[in-house]
Amino acid sequence: MAHDHSHHHSHSNLKLAFFLNLAFTILEIVGGIYTNSVAILSDAVHDLGDSFSLGLAWYLDKKSKKSASSQFSFGYQRFSLAGAFVNALILLLGSIYLISEAIQRFQNPEESDAQGMILFALLGIFVNGYAAFKVSKGSSQNEKVISWHLIEDVLGWAAVLIAGIVLYFKEIPWLDPALSLGISIFILWNVFKNLKGTIMIFLQAVPEDVSLDEIKSKICEVEKVDSVHHMHIWSLEGEHHVFTVHVKLKPIETLIELNEIKTEIKKLLKTYPFSHYTIEIEADQEECSMNP
């Protein structure tokens, strides 16, 4: 019952945050055009990417509860990688477009509606702040990641608010495009960082939070283990990892010894974030069938 209650709140919080963010993104686009502010339009692009992330997180929160199938034997966690890739492309193209717009504004300055900027900034802080508060109370990894996204949005709107207040009292035409450039460059930095991580997972690189050499050393310290080979670690979606290994044994006399060795290795592996692991045991005189 406790698990179901937690899952219900996780699903509801992500759903609420998604619709709040999507509605506000549409409002931002209209507001950015109305106030003639490329800074607000830059944040609208950021929020559009966040809306996609929230929608995907909401969908996957439900999808990930499904059992593995004959088509997806590891389950559905890896679907998030495709979503992350599409999300990165949306943010990348949007940011490049807005950087070009901001550069044109530097060359041909235009006046922005400071009052409109202040109004939208206050609304942005409230909407994103409320969504962040709701999602931050969740315990799932999805909610934790999305919560930080929304907190970043609150900080972005705080910057728009400060710029709007300055422009209200003093006419500085370059301030709005300068803020747009800052927001867009910040988005691009995060896009490239996340895109690199996504590509590394696609290429089945060893996850950064585990060490292949450390695990190899620990397994070799288990009594009666001679050596290990064909050791592989990859990640399903950055959080849940998969581990496989072939373990060569020294001479043993009973099946009890074999079971003790396997139990010790499994106990060791449970200290790592592996959602699945496979251990192939080979006797001292046995040749590995996978070797040339």
Side-chain angles (χ1 to χ4, degrees):
M1 286 294 289
H3 174 77
D4 289 341
H5 186 68
S6 173
H7 169 57
H8 174 72
H9 276 289
S10 167
H11 189 72
S12 299
N13 289 339
L14 289 169
K15 181 180 178 181
L16 173 67
F18 167 69
F19 281 111
L20 272 175
N21 217 73
L22 182 61
F24 187 65
T25 299
I26 295 168
L27 193 62
E28 272 183 288
I29 294 169
V30 175
I33 296 169
Y34 174 75
T35 60
N36 198 31
S37 170
V38 285
I40 289 179
L41 286 172
S42 295
D43 215 276
V45 171
H46 189 185
D47 277 352
L48 181 64
D50 283 348
S51 294
F52 188 87
S53 296
L54 280 162
L56 186 69
W58 173 33
Y59 170 75
L60 289 174
D61 186 69
K62 184 177 180 180
K63 192 81 171 175
S64 64
K65 304 298 185 292
K66 289 183 65 177
S67 301
S69 65
S70 57
Q71 187 175 15
F72 299 103
S73 60
F74 274 114
Y76 293 82
Q77 297 101 318
R78 208 167 172 86
F79 275 46
S80 62
L81 290 180
F85 187 74
V86 173
N87 185 25
L89 288 180
I90 292 171
L91 290 172
L92 184 67
L93 294 173
S95 297
I96 290 171
Y97 169 74
L98 286 164
I99 285 173
S100 68
E101 285 291 307
I103 291 171
Q104 286 182 34
R105 283 289 182 94
F106 272 117
Q107 296 170 342
N108 303 291
E110 295 181 23
E111 189 177 340
S112 299
D113 184 343
Q115 283 184 315
M117 288 177 70
I118 293 169
L119 177 64
F120 273 97
L122 289 170
L123 194 58
I125 290 169
F126 173 76
V127 171
N128 287 284
Y130 179 71
F133 170 73
K134 290 293 289 182
V135 177
S136 67
K137 294 194 293 184
S139 57
S140 73
Q141 186 66 20
N142 255 344
E143 289 173 295
K144 291 174 183 176
V145 171
I146 292 300
S147 176
W148 279 109
H149 261 296
L150 294 169
I151 289 169
E152 284 178 3
D153 287 345
V154 172
L155 295 174
W157 277 114
V160 173
L161 177 61
I162 293 168
I165 293 170
V166 171
L167 287 171
Y168 183 77
F169 291 104
K170 191 171 183 180
E171 190 176 327
I172 309 174
W174 55 263
L175 187 58
D176 181 66
L179 186 59
S180 174
L181 273 176
I183 293 170
S184 298
I185 290 169
F186 173 75
I187 293 168
L188 280 176
W189 167 255
N190 282 284
V191 165
F192 282 121
K193 189 169 63 174
N194 292 329
L195 195 57
K196 179 188 174 185
T198 301
I199 291 171
M200 291 298 280
I201 295 171
F202 268 127
L203 295 175
Q204 295 186 317
V206 175
E208 292 182 357
D209 58 342
V210 292
S211 168
L212 202 69
D213 292 333
E214 178 187 287
I215 297 173
K216 181 178 180 180
S217 176
K218 287 184 177 181
I219 292 176
C220 287
E221 288 173 4
V222 174
E223 191 176 355
K224 294 291 185 178
V225 170
D226 182 55
S227 62
V228 298
H229 55 278
H230 291 308
M231 181 186 288
H232 307 289
I233 304 174
W234 70 96
S235 184
L236 292 175
E237 50 17 330
E239 183 185 359
H240 301 92
H241 309 328
V242 178
F243 175 84
T244 65
V245 66
H246 286 214
V247 180
K248 186 83 168 179
L249 300 183
K250 295 175 182 177
I252 59 171
E253 297 180 359
T254 65
L255 286 175
I256 294 175
E257 283 184 279
L258 176 63
N259 286 329
E260 286 175 349
I261 294 166
K262 287 179 71 175
T263 300
E264 191 65 29
I265 294 173
K266 288 177 182 178
K267 183 180 175 182
L268 187 158
L269 294 177
K270 284 179 181 177
T271 62
Y272 293 91
F274 297 136
S275 61
H276 182 90
Y277 52 80
T278 303
I279 307 165
E280 174 79 11
I281 299 292
E282 297 170 359
D284 61 308
Q285 298 297 323
E286 183 181 354
E287 289 293 328
C288 179
S289 60
M290 293 183 68
N291 285 338

